[in-house]
């Protein structure tokens, strides 16, 4: 019984760490979308990527800007992952920006 309790506690600690990482990754995505919205020059269509530090962790983000059916609106799809673990996307976020005219 004791080993089951210890195993359950270890699983709970792993889950808490995973949820913390997912939350931070989503904050990185929201921050990047806000930066794009506040930038004086709107991004054109295409891919971009970069790195940022948050909460002592290096994060990698990728953005894909595509046109929509509305000529005044572009779609932005963001993916965020830990720079040290590029095999696992922890957060995705979609937003919309005015299109470059």
């Amino acid at each position: 019984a004791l080993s089951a309790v210890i195993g359950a506690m270890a699983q709970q600690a792993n889950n808490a760490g995973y949820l913390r990482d997912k939350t931070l990754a989503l904050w990185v995505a929201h921050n990047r979308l806000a930066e794009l919205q506040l930038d004086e020059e709107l991004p054109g269509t295409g891919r971009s990527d970069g790195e940022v530090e948050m909460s002592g962790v290096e994060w990698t983000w990728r953005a894909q800007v595509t046109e929509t059916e509305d000529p005044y609106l572009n779609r932005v799809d963001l993916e965020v992952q830990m720079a040290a673990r590029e095999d696992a996307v922890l957060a995705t976020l979609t937003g919309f920006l005015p299109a470059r005219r």
Side-chain angles (χ1 to χ4, degrees), residues 38-57:
L38 294 172
D39 199 354
E40 289 183 16
E41 186 170 331
L42 296 168
T45 58
R47 294 185 70 84
S48 61
D49 58 25
E51 292 186 359
V52 65
E53 184 271 330
M54 179 181 276
S55 190
V57 178

Side-chain angles (χ1 to χ4, degrees), residues 30-101:
H30 278 283
N31 284 350
R32 183 62 192 143
L33 183 59
E35 289 170 353
L36 290 171
Q37 291 170 333
L38 294 172
D39 199 354
E40 289 183 16
E41 186 170 331
L42 296 168
T45 58
R47 294 185 70 84
S48 61
D49 58 25
E51 292 186 359
V52 65
E53 184 271 330
M54 179 181 276
S55 190
V57 178
E58 291 293 324
W59 299 92
T60 302
W61 57 265
R62 282 187 301 275
Q64 175 71 44
V65 179
T66 56
E67 294 178 347
T68 64
E69 292 180 13
D70 183 340
Y72 297 98
L73 198 63
N74 282 344
R75 175 182 170 145
V76 181
D77 294 300
L78 289 156
E79 293 181 344
V80 177
Q81 57 202 45
M82 287 181 168
R85 291 212 39 191
E86 294 192 12
D87 60 331
V89 173
L90 290 173
T92 59
L93 180 67
T94 299
F96 295 90
L97 298 172
R100 248 192 225 180
R101 304 240 351 123

Side-chain angles (χ1 to χ4, degrees), residues 17-27 59 89-92:
Y18 176 72
L19 291 175
R20 183 202 66 225
D21 293 344
K22 280 193 71 73
T23 300
L24 288 172
L26 189 56
W27 288 350
W59 299 92
V89 173
L90 290 173
T92 59

